Amino acid sequence: MERLGTGIGWRPEIADAVERMPGIDWVEAVAENVCPGHLPDSLRRLRERGVTVVPHGVSLGLGGADRPDEGRLTALAERVEALGSPLVTEHIAFVRAGGALTATPHLEAGHLLPVPRTRDALDVLCENVRIAQEALPVPLAVENIAALISWPGEEMTEGQFLYELADRTGVRLLIDVANLHTNHVNRAEDPAKALAELPLEAIAYVHVAGGFERDGVWHDSHAHPVPRPVLDILTDLASRVSPPGVLLERDENFPEPAELEAELASIRRAVAAGAVERVKAEVRAAGHAVAARRPGAALGDWSGVRADASARSGGVTEQGHRTGAAGATRGASGRPEHTGVDEARQRLGLAQAALLSALVAGTPVPEGFERARVGVQARALAAKRADVVAKVAPELPEILGAEYRTAFLGYAQTQPMTGGYRRDALTFAEHLLSAGRPGDAAARRELREWWLERSGPAPRSRRPVHRLARATRKVLLRR
């Protein structure tokens, strides 16, 4: 596994600061925000300095019921080539549902949603990962995600699910310790148990990020400082294995560079503390091995050493058999490949479409889900959608002012997203204009001009003669 070192998520808002930060070995860039033919100057300069850049995808939806879209895979591969990356990463999540597979309306979540930890979902995910691996020019690593909700009827723990995924596909893992903390608060899952069940040798690198708690729910915001519990999980992980790379994520509410550098220093200290514990454990294990050669033991009787080695390796003996929790997670090695993946896709697709429809279209909450948590997730998706639309179409908050957020959240309650965020921005503007909003006539004219400028197949020309023709057409249309 390539050693990456300590890195930070590259974002345009902090690009200059990242270039000047000491001790940055590598950066990660959101793949969908990078144009292969027009790399940002900052990323280009970092690459010229020998800083590794890893593209991090967010839109493949590998955990969805559909097979990965060929166009998205091709686009991701192009970004890998443009950045000269040694690997590429994505998420264990679904981001859309419905469509031809389920004969239901196509819906976009606009964010990462958890997959059920069931055999059906695992079979579909494994096939989707293999399809992606074949299409991508470098190794793929997939990330565990944060979740506000739990699926009913899950059959595996997160560690077991990830172990089988890595075992059956050879995919590498991007472990987000902040997401382990999120799932501890929101789903009462033990981070230490998840780490104990993971295939540590498959870890490509580690994510660290901040969030906040509200009304007993942890929100993985990537907009707040990294809390102590997340650093403690990082130390626990580093006490078990030396992570090839560790990266700080920050997506908004960016602090001064000095604060980011301080967070990176805290991350380095957490990893170092884990390394100390790992060395101590190795010394203790060596002492146990010596003690096992006690006087009177038969020559070659290493049963004590084997038992200790099995405990430290998660239950692996010399013969390759597994015991305990680790054995339960490994079971696929001798298991015939599950048949009927197409049927599993159908079942998974119907379940995901029902959940996503409840989240973004206001349909009834599927049986078995906690209704209050689904409501929290629905509000979080709408808020995320409003934030992203404001970024891709910054003119909308400028035109609408303080009315923007309230208007968008009202729109989102009845208008689920069916395309990308740019299409969502245009549909939002159409929604307002069709209702005679905003109330201010000047703002309404400005919004209409904005919509006309962007809704056609090509941008409207700004040449004087074309502007005159448009103005004349408007006058004629009013008659």
Side-chain angles (χ1 to χ4, degrees), residues 1-2 86-90 92 129 133 138-143 165-166 169-175 201-205:
M1 195 75 68
E2 178 167 336
L87 77 161
V88 60
T89 60
E90 247 289 352
I92 301 170
V129 164
Q133 287 171 318
V138 294
L140 170 68
V142 291
E143 178 182 354
L165 172 64
T169 65
V171 72
R172 298 178 183 181
L173 299 177
L174 161 50
I175 297 302
E201 71 280 0
I203 294 178
Y205 62 89

Side-chain angles (χ1 to χ4, degrees), residues 12 25 46 111 113 121 177 185 256 286 315 318 352 369 455 467:
D25 302 308
L46 287 169
H111 197 49
L113 293 174
V177 292
V185 176
E256 292 298 317
E318 285 183 354
Q352 290 180 338
F369 284 94
S455 61
R467 290 203 304 270

Side-chain angles (χ1 to χ4, degrees), residues 26 34 77 79 126 179 198 260 284 363 377 387 399 404 410 453:
W26 65 292
V34 174
R79 283 149 179 80
C126 285
N179 291 347
L198 286 178
L260 291 175
R284 286 195 298 270
T363 57
Q377 180 71 82
D387 291 341
I399 295 170
Y404 166 75
E453 183 68 31

